[in-house]
Amino acid sequence: MHLIPLLVLVSLWAGFVHRGWGVRAGLLAAQVAAGVLTVLATETLGALRILTFWPLAAFWSTALAASLVWLRRSWRCAKFSRPSFSLAPLDIAVLIAIAVIVAVTGLVALAAPSNNCDSMSYHMA
């Protein structure tokens, strides 16, 4: 279930890149679209008081199907056959820095999870 929104994001990104938006602009547009979908799902299902696992799974599965259909159509309509993916050295350095930060944070979370009363009863909820 956790992978479905990520797959939606990736398919939207691939569609935007293939339509000529470029790697950065396509990723930004895909993140904005995924954010709008997240807000739409949360607010709609919350207002209907059905914000539970299965309605969320149905929503994201529908969003994934729609994004894959859109991606397929963008591949058919594109004038070029293959998008170019090129990253500047600064982009690569930033991605490496982000990966290091995420890895260190993940290791700290695995090695020393919070277990005091305040964190478990108030902050984690």
Side-chain angles (χ1 to χ4, degrees):
M1 176 60 192
H2 296 295
L3 292 178
I4 295 175
L6 181 63
L7 292 174
V8 171
L9 177 68
V10 169
S11 66
L12 288 172
W13 175 68
F16 282 120
V17 169
H18 198 72
R19 287 180 178 250
W21 283 57
V23 175
R24 280 186 180 174
L27 184 60
L28 182 62
Q31 288 174 339
V32 168
V36 168
L37 286 173
T38 301
V39 169
L40 180 69
T42 305
E43 293 298 324
T44 303
L45 296 177
L48 296 174
R49 298 185 187 269
I50 55 171
L51 187 58
T52 59
F53 178 80
W54 291 112
L56 270 175
F59 177 85
W60 282 110
S61 298
T62 305
L64 178 61
S67 67
L68 289 174
V69 167
W70 180 74
L71 175 63
R72 174 100 171 135
R73 287 188 180 180
S74 71
W75 280 69
R76 273 194 216 154
C77 298
K79 295 179 181 174
F80 51 92
S81 62
R82 194 174 185 181
S84 62
F85 295 101
S86 62
L87 294 174
L90 181 62
D91 294 336
I92 294 171
V94 168
L95 287 174
I96 290 171
I98 290 171
V100 167
I101 291 170
V102 168
V104 169
T105 304
L107 286 173
V108 169
L110 288 174
S114 60
N115 59 3
N116 62 13
C117 183
D118 186 43
S119 294
M120 298 301 285
S121 64
Y122 177 71
H123 296 293
M124 302 271 295

